[in-house]
Amino acid sequence: MTGRVIAVGGHESDGAAALTGVLGPEVVRVAGGRELVREVRSARADGERVCVVPMTLGRDPSLVADAARTLLALDASERAGTVLAEPFATTAHLVGWLRTLATRIPHDRALLVTAPSGDPFSDADLFRTARLVRQYGRHRTVEVALLGGDPGLAEGVRRCRALGAPRVVVLPAAWAVPEPTGVPHTEYGGPLLSGSAAAGVLASRVREAQDRYERSGDDGVARALAADHDHGHAHSHGPDGHDHDHGHCHGHGHGHSHGHGDSHGAGPDPGGGHHHGTPSHAPRAGAEPPVRHQGAAPDLVPSHRSPR
């Protein structure tokens, strides 16, 4: 199965604008909604198959669910031959890639994990990501900056300097993170992925989605509709706050892992798809993502280390 690949971007990529220069010209970049519908309809009218890839790095599950809802609005002829791939990455992949960048940075530098601000829950995820980069790395100071949010870049740099760091290195935790030109004592530690590494991950997502569709007719839409189900106020369903375990009340367990499962190290997982808690190693910048066999899931955090 071949056809048109459509990359859908959200706040992590400034509505897909930041994907220019990262993805090749053969990949269509859209912000979702009407743009996505227009591109799918154009491709199907030309007789092309379509694969839609949500370009989240794990902090925008709503992007995945919104893409699925958009595809549901298509008619049957447009839906036929259109598949929705697994998200480009999970937060586990993101942690792994950031840790790979951090290994190249001198110990005395502070790391400033930076991304555009999203909703409060996406922003909270960035603090969690930064904590995991620090926990399993060698840098004493790891802070967060939210572009367009609080703390912003200037405040993040100020905090790092106040903690005694001579210089601050901005680590991009999203596609839309510009180089901090003109900011004193600050340098850029990115990009997060090289163009070849990003292309390899994207190709594996497309291949997995197309293979699944050919084998079973699964277009990926039904699964993606629930992508943002747990993204919000921790399953609280009203002012009375009757939180509950959906696995008991509604018969569908989510398989959450609150320990090391999807938090410590990740790679592009080109052979295994979107598996929380079983990521592979991150690619070296400029290198093609490594290929691993289905089911292989090495941890990037040594088993003898435990959180301090």
Side-chain angles (χ1 to χ4, degrees):
M1 174 179 173
T2 59
R4 191 174 305 185
V5 177
I6 303 176
V8 184
H11 65 78
E12 296 162 296
S13 61
D14 190 21
L19 298 175
T20 301
V22 177
L23 305 178
E26 71 282 0
V27 179
V28 179
R29 298 169 295 277
V30 301
R34 290 188 179 91
E35 290 184 36
L36 176 57
V37 169
R38 183 167 58 249
E39 286 297 335
V40 172
R41 284 178 172 163
S42 171
R44 296 300 295 131
D46 292 339
E48 291 184 84
R49 299 287 187 96
V50 177
C51 182
V52 178
V53 184
M55 294 299 294
T56 178
L57 294 169
R59 293 178 52 246
D60 193 2
S62 295
L63 177 67
V64 182
D66 287 345
R69 286 188 282 266
T70 298
L71 295 181
L72 280 179
L74 299 170
D75 63 33
S77 63
E78 294 162 340
R79 286 279 305 277
T82 299
V83 298
L84 180 60
E86 293 289 313
F88 182 89
T90 68
T91 52
H93 295 114
L94 178 59
V95 170
W97 290 329
L98 289 169
R99 290 178 60 210
T100 298
L101 290 181
T103 61
R104 306 173 192 142
I105 298 169
H107 295 193
D108 65 341
R109 304 292 200 264
L111 306 180
L112 189 58
V113 177
T114 306
S117 181
D119 60 54
F121 307 99
S122 297
D123 292 350
D125 280 344
L126 190 64
F127 283 88
R128 173 182 176 273
T129 294
R131 174 61 189 181
L132 292 167
V133 171
R134 180 186 185 277
Q135 185 72 45
Y136 300 110
R138 58 186 182 174
H139 294 83
R140 188 175 71 86
T141 301
V142 181
E143 292 289 321
V144 165
L146 293 162
L147 303 178
D150 181 30
L153 182 62
E155 174 62 15
V157 171
R158 186 197 68 76
R159 293 182 183 188
C160 292
R161 295 277 293 161
L163 291 170
R167 291 191 65 79
V168 180
V169 179
V170 170
L171 293 188
W175 303 108
V177 178
E179 297 189 24
T181 54
V183 181
H185 313 292
T186 306
E187 59 194 89
Y188 190 57
L192 181 65
L193 292 175
S194 68
S196 60
V201 176
L202 182 70
S204 71
R205 297 291 175 261
V206 172
R207 184 171 58 253
E208 292 157 6
Q210 292 177 340
D211 287 349
R212 185 177 60 241
Y213 185 73
E214 295 291 345
R215 287 194 313 267
S216 64
D218 180 3
D219 63 6
V221 172
R223 182 186 311 103
L225 287 171
D228 61 350
H229 180 75
D230 299 328
H231 187 68
H233 285 284
H235 291 69
S236 177
H237 291 269
D240 55 349
H242 61 285
D243 295 354
H244 58 259
D245 180 350
H246 287 294
H248 293 287
C249 293
H250 296 291
H252 62 281
H254 301 305
H256 297 298
S257 174
H258 296 287
H260 293 172
D262 79 331
S263 63
H264 49 90
D269 191 21
H274 178 69
H275 299 292
H276 287 286
T278 57
S280 65
H281 290 287
R284 298 183 306 276
E288 292 294 338
V291 176
R292 69 174 178 83
H293 296 292
Q294 184 75 16
D299 252 338
L300 289 184
V301 179
S303 59
H304 65 275
R305 297 188 63 178
S306 59
R308 295 185 292 272

